[in-house]
mmCIF file of all heavy atoms in Angstrom:
data_model
loop_
_atom_site.group_PDB
_atom_site.id
_atom_site.type_symbol
_atom_site.label_atom_id
_atom_site.label_comp_id
_atom_site.label_asym_id
_atom_site.label_seq_id
_atom_site.Cartn_x
_atom_site.Cartn_y
_atom_site.Cartn_z
ATOM 1 N N MET A 1 0.791 -1.189 -0.014
ATOM 2 C CA MET A 1 0.005 0.019 -0.058
ATOM 3 C C MET A 1 0.882 1.312 -0.021
ATOM 4 O O MET A 1 0.419 2.311 -0.355
ATOM 5 C CB MET A 1 -0.923 -0.035 1.151
ATOM 6 C CG MET A 1 -2.013 -1.045 1.212
ATOM 7 S SD MET A 1 -3.040 -1.000 2.724
ATOM 8 C CE MET A 1 -3.788 0.577 2.603
ATOM 9 N N TYR A 2 2.139 1.206 0.420
ATOM 10 C CA TYR A 2 2.968 2.315 0.567
ATOM 11 C C TYR A 2 4.333 2.272 -0.259
ATOM 12 O O TYR A 2 5.320 2.565 0.313
ATOM 13 C CB TYR A 2 3.195 2.541 2.016
ATOM 14 C CG TYR A 2 2.013 2.738 2.860
ATOM 15 C CD1 TYR A 2 1.482 1.576 3.572
ATOM 16 C CD2 TYR A 2 1.393 3.869 3.024
ATOM 17 C CE1 TYR A 2 0.328 1.659 4.327
ATOM 18 C CE2 TYR A 2 0.169 4.045 3.752
ATOM 19 C CZ TYR A 2 -0.321 2.907 4.417
ATOM 20 O OH TYR A 2 -1.461 3.015 5.169
ATOM 21 N N PRO A 3 4.285 1.798 -1.439
ATOM 22 C CA PRO A 3 5.535 1.509 -2.204
ATOM 23 C C PRO A 3 6.327 2.786 -2.386
ATOM 24 O O PRO A 3 7.598 2.758 -2.261
ATOM 25 C CB PRO A 3 5.072 0.960 -3.526
ATOM 26 C CG PRO A 3 3.643 1.469 -3.692
ATOM 27 C CD PRO A 3 3.111 1.498 -2.310
ATOM 28 N N ASP A 4 5.759 3.914 -2.737
ATOM 29 C CA ASP A 4 6.488 5.068 -2.916
ATOM 30 C C ASP A 4 7.104 5.508 -1.635
ATOM 31 O O ASP A 4 8.332 6.046 -1.641
ATOM 32 C CB ASP A 4 5.558 6.215 -3.454
ATOM 33 C CG ASP A 4 5.096 5.940 -4.836
ATOM 34 O OD1 ASP A 4 5.685 5.173 -5.474
ATOM 35 O OD2 ASP A 4 4.051 6.500 -5.300
ATOM 36 N N LEU A 5 6.472 5.517 -0.523
ATOM 37 C CA LEU A 5 7.062 5.944 0.796
ATOM 38 C C LEU A 5 8.112 4.996 1.181
ATOM 39 O O LEU A 5 9.124 5.476 1.668
ATOM 40 C CB LEU A 5 5.867 5.954 1.885
ATOM 41 C CG LEU A 5 6.229 6.467 3.232
ATOM 42 C CD1 LEU A 5 6.806 7.843 3.154
ATOM 43 C CD2 LEU A 5 4.985 6.357 4.159
ATOM 44 N N VAL A 6 7.911 3.770 1.090
ATOM 45 C CA VAL A 6 8.921 2.761 1.361
ATOM 46 C C VAL A 6 10.116 2.973 0.646
ATOM 47 O O VAL A 6 11.300 2.989 1.137
ATOM 48 C CB VAL A 6 8.430 1.271 1.196
ATOM 49 C CG1 VAL A 6 9.506 0.243 1.328
ATOM 50 C CG2 VAL A 6 7.257 0.938 2.234
ATOM 51 N N GLY A 7 9.997 3.162 -0.710
ATOM 52 C CA GLY A 7 11.145 3.408 -1.524
ATOM 53 C C GLY A 7 11.874 4.701 -1.260
ATOM 54 O O GLY A 7 13.130 4.658 -1.217
ATOM 55 N N ALA A 8 11.095 5.739 -0.906
ATOM 56 C CA ALA A 8 11.829 6.986 -0.540
ATOM 57 C C ALA A 8 12.647 6.801 0.792
ATOM 58 O O ALA A 8 13.815 7.423 0.808
ATOM 59 C CB ALA A 8 10.774 8.092 -0.389
ATOM 60 N N ILE A 9 12.041 6.265 1.736
ATOM 61 C CA ILE A 9 12.793 6.048 3.001
ATOM 62 C C ILE A 9 14.052 5.140 2.765
ATOM 63 O O ILE A 9 15.154 5.356 3.226
ATOM 64 C CB ILE A 9 11.937 5.465 4.025
ATOM 65 C CG1 ILE A 9 10.735 6.364 4.453
ATOM 66 C CG2 ILE A 9 12.757 5.133 5.391
ATOM 67 C CD1 ILE A 9 9.745 5.782 5.305
ATOM 68 N N ARG A 10 13.867 3.966 2.060
ATOM 69 C CA ARG A 10 14.976 3.169 1.802
ATOM 70 C C ARG A 10 16.051 3.826 0.954
ATOM 71 O O ARG A 10 17.256 3.754 1.321
ATOM 72 C CB ARG A 10 14.409 1.869 0.992
ATOM 73 C CG ARG A 10 15.539 0.846 0.629
ATOM 74 C CD ARG A 10 15.039 -0.289 -0.188
ATOM 75 N NE ARG A 10 14.496 0.250 -1.449
ATOM 76 C CZ ARG A 10 13.285 0.123 -1.895
ATOM 77 N NH1 ARG A 10 12.326 -0.422 -1.058
ATOM 78 N NH2 ARG A 10 12.836 0.608 -3.054
ATOM 79 N N ASP A 11 15.670 4.511 -0.146
ATOM 80 C CA ASP A 11 16.733 5.049 -0.986
ATOM 81 C C ASP A 11 17.391 6.324 -0.309
ATOM 82 O O ASP A 11 18.528 6.620 -0.541
ATOM 83 C CB ASP A 11 16.081 5.521 -2.278
ATOM 84 C CG ASP A 11 15.645 4.325 -3.119
ATOM 85 O OD1 ASP A 11 16.052 3.147 -2.764
ATOM 86 O OD2 ASP A 11 14.810 4.453 -4.028
ATOM 87 N N GLY A 12 16.605 6.993 0.458
ATOM 88 C CA GLY A 12 17.165 8.197 1.167
ATOM 89 C C GLY A 12 18.041 7.984 2.397
ATOM 90 O O GLY A 12 19.036 8.686 2.649
ATOM 91 N N LEU A 13 17.654 6.892 3.156
ATOM 92 C CA LEU A 13 18.478 6.586 4.334
ATOM 93 C C LEU A 13 19.155 5.372 4.457
ATOM 94 O O LEU A 13 20.296 5.279 5.099
ATOM 95 C CB LEU A 13 17.443 6.683 5.517
ATOM 96 C CG LEU A 13 16.654 8.018 5.781
ATOM 97 C CD1 LEU A 13 15.769 7.819 6.890
ATOM 98 C CD2 LEU A 13 17.739 9.169 6.011
ATOM 99 N N TYR A 14 18.810 4.315 3.639
ATOM 100 C CA TYR A 14 19.371 2.962 3.864
ATOM 101 C C TYR A 14 19.773 2.378 2.557
ATOM 102 O O TYR A 14 19.942 1.155 2.467
ATOM 103 C CB TYR A 14 18.272 2.133 4.473
ATOM 104 C CG TYR A 14 17.875 2.608 5.926
ATOM 105 C CD1 TYR A 14 16.545 3.058 5.979
ATOM 106 C CD2 TYR A 14 18.680 2.592 6.951
ATOM 107 C CE1 TYR A 14 16.132 3.555 7.238
ATOM 108 C CE2 TYR A 14 18.245 3.028 8.233
ATOM 109 C CZ TYR A 14 16.965 3.561 8.349
ATOM 110 O OH TYR A 14 16.506 4.021 9.544
ATOM 111 N N LYS A 15 20.008 3.093 1.496
ATOM 112 C CA LYS A 15 20.352 2.581 0.183
ATOM 113 C C LYS A 15 21.615 1.782 0.258
ATOM 114 O O LYS A 15 21.765 0.699 -0.448
ATOM 115 C CB LYS A 15 20.533 3.773 -0.770
ATOM 116 C CG LYS A 15 20.766 3.318 -2.209
ATOM 117 C CD LYS A 15 20.812 4.543 -3.190
ATOM 118 C CE LYS A 15 20.977 4.080 -4.643
ATOM 119 N NZ LYS A 15 21.015 5.185 -5.501
ATOM 120 N N ASP A 16 22.619 2.091 1.068
ATOM 121 C CA ASP A 16 23.978 1.434 1.117
ATOM 122 C C ASP A 16 24.000 0.563 2.413
ATOM 123 O O ASP A 16 25.134 0.119 2.824
ATOM 124 C CB ASP A 16 25.039 2.443 1.073
ATOM 125 C CG ASP A 16 25.050 3.254 -0.130
ATOM 126 O OD1 ASP A 16 24.706 2.654 -1.216
ATOM 127 O OD2 ASP A 16 25.366 4.409 -0.125
ATOM 128 N N THR A 17 22.958 0.326 3.061
ATOM 129 C CA THR A 17 22.824 -0.485 4.253
ATOM 130 C C THR A 17 22.008 -1.726 3.986
ATOM 131 O O THR A 17 20.759 -1.746 4.056
ATOM 132 C CB THR A 17 22.271 0.292 5.470
ATOM 133 O OG1 THR A 17 22.906 1.672 5.519
ATOM 134 C CG2 THR A 17 22.473 -0.364 6.764
ATOM 135 N N LYS A 18 22.686 -2.869 3.794
ATOM 136 C CA LYS A 18 22.025 -4.027 3.407
ATOM 137 C C LYS A 18 21.278 -4.758 4.515
ATOM 138 O O LYS A 18 20.379 -5.537 4.345
ATOM 139 C CB LYS A 18 23.112 -5.070 2.816
ATOM 140 C CG LYS A 18 23.688 -4.555 1.462
ATOM 141 C CD LYS A 18 24.624 -5.630 0.969
ATOM 142 C CE LYS A 18 25.274 -5.104 -0.358
ATOM 143 N NZ LYS A 18 26.275 -6.106 -0.857
ATOM 144 N N HIS A 19 21.738 -4.495 5.754
ATOM 145 C CA HIS A 19 21.173 -5.218 6.959
ATOM 146 C C HIS A 19 19.958 -4.512 7.499
ATOM 147 O O HIS A 19 19.481 -4.920 8.506
ATOM 148 C CB HIS A 19 22.239 -5.418 8.025
ATOM 149 C CG HIS A 19 22.767 -4.213 8.646
ATOM 150 N ND1 HIS A 19 23.680 -3.430 8.071
ATOM 151 C CD2 HIS A 19 22.489 -3.656 9.820
ATOM 152 C CE1 HIS A 19 23.883 -2.388 8.828
ATOM 153 N NE2 HIS A 19 23.233 -2.420 9.953
ATOM 154 N N ILE A 20 19.523 -3.373 6.894
ATOM 155 C CA ILE A 20 18.321 -2.655 7.424
ATOM 156 C C ILE A 20 17.379 -2.588 6.301
ATOM 157 O O ILE A 20 17.615 -2.112 5.189
ATOM 158 C CB ILE A 20 18.678 -1.278 7.928
ATOM 159 C CG1 ILE A 20 19.664 -1.397 9.165
ATOM 160 C CG2 ILE A 20 17.386 -0.508 8.343
ATOM 161 C CD1 ILE A 20 20.032 0.022 9.657
ATOM 162 N N LEU A 21 16.064 -3.040 6.577
ATOM 163 C CA LEU A 21 15.031 -3.081 5.527
ATOM 164 C C LEU A 21 13.969 -2.169 5.839
ATOM 165 O O LEU A 21 13.684 -1.890 7.082
ATOM 166 C CB LEU A 21 14.556 -4.512 5.411
ATOM 167 C CG LEU A 21 15.422 -5.685 5.158
ATOM 168 C CD1 LEU A 21 14.816 -6.982 5.024
ATOM 169 C CD2 LEU A 21 16.183 -5.400 3.772
ATOM 170 N N VAL A 22 13.261 -1.530 4.870
ATOM 171 C CA VAL A 22 12.116 -0.734 5.008
ATOM 172 C C VAL A 22 10.981 -1.609 4.447
ATOM 173 O O VAL A 22 10.868 -1.847 3.338
ATOM 174 C CB VAL A 22 12.221 0.607 4.360
ATOM 175 C CG1 VAL A 22 11.024 1.448 4.685
ATOM 176 C CG2 VAL A 22 13.528 1.376 4.835
ATOM 177 N N VAL A 23 9.948 -2.001 5.393
ATOM 178 C CA VAL A 23 8.991 -2.946 4.994
ATOM 179 C C VAL A 23 7.599 -2.442 5.129
ATOM 180 O O VAL A 23 7.324 -1.740 6.166
ATOM 181 C CB VAL A 23 9.160 -4.121 5.913
ATOM 182 C CG1 VAL A 23 8.173 -5.336 5.458
ATOM 183 C CG2 VAL A 23 10.559 -4.751 5.891
ATOM 184 N N ASP A 24 6.827 -2.608 4.172
ATOM 185 C CA ASP A 24 5.306 -2.350 4.194
ATOM 186 C C ASP A 24 4.701 -3.441 5.107
ATOM 187 O O ASP A 24 4.577 -4.563 4.724
ATOM 188 C CB ASP A 24 4.686 -2.394 2.851
ATOM 189 C CG ASP A 24 3.166 -2.109 2.811
ATOM 190 O OD1 ASP A 24 2.597 -2.058 3.964
ATOM 191 O OD2 ASP A 24 2.619 -2.021 1.654
ATOM 192 N N THR A 25 4.345 -3.109 6.360
ATOM 193 C CA THR A 25 3.780 -4.043 7.297
ATOM 194 C C THR A 25 2.244 -3.927 7.534
ATOM 195 O O THR A 25 1.731 -4.343 8.540
ATOM 196 C CB THR A 25 4.489 -3.992 8.602
ATOM 197 O OG1 THR A 25 4.682 -2.625 9.054
ATOM 198 C CG2 THR A 25 5.905 -4.680 8.492
ATOM 199 N N SER A 26 1.635 -3.124 6.733
ATOM 200 C CA SER A 26 0.262 -2.764 7.008
ATOM 201 C C SER A 26 -0.611 -3.999 6.855
ATOM 202 O O SER A 26 -1.690 -4.122 7.511
ATOM 203 C CB SER A 26 -0.267 -1.780 5.880
ATOM 204 O OG SER A 26 -0.009 -2.226 4.606
ATOM 205 N N GLN A 27 -0.174 -5.032 6.125
ATOM 206 C CA GLN A 27 -0.876 -6.296 6.034
ATOM 207 C C GLN A 27 -0.043 -7.478 6.644
ATOM 208 O O GLN A 27 -0.377 -8.623 6.310
ATOM 209 C CB GLN A 27 -1.274 -6.642 4.491
ATOM 210 C CG GLN A 27 -2.022 -5.472 3.867
ATOM 211 C CD GLN A 27 -3.380 -5.288 4.529
ATOM 212 O OE1 GLN A 27 -4.049 -6.276 4.891
ATOM 213 N NE2 GLN A 27 -3.815 -3.943 4.633
#
C-alpha cells in the first residue's frame, strides 16, 4: 500500500545499508 513511501525512506536513508530493511507491514 505504501511503495513510494517505502522506496523514498529506503533510498534516502538505507540505500547502502544491506542489513536494514524498510517494510510495508500494513498487512
Side-chain angles (χ1 to χ4, degrees):
M1 292 178 62
Y2 303 94
D4 293 338
L5 183 61
V6 167
I9 297 173
R10 181 185 62 242
D11 295 341
L13 298 178
Y14 302 108
K15 187 175 183 179
D16 299 323
T17 310
K18 295 181 179 179
H19 65 281
I20 299 180
L21 304 177
V22 184
V23 184
D24 180 350
T25 46
S26 57
Q27 303 297 319

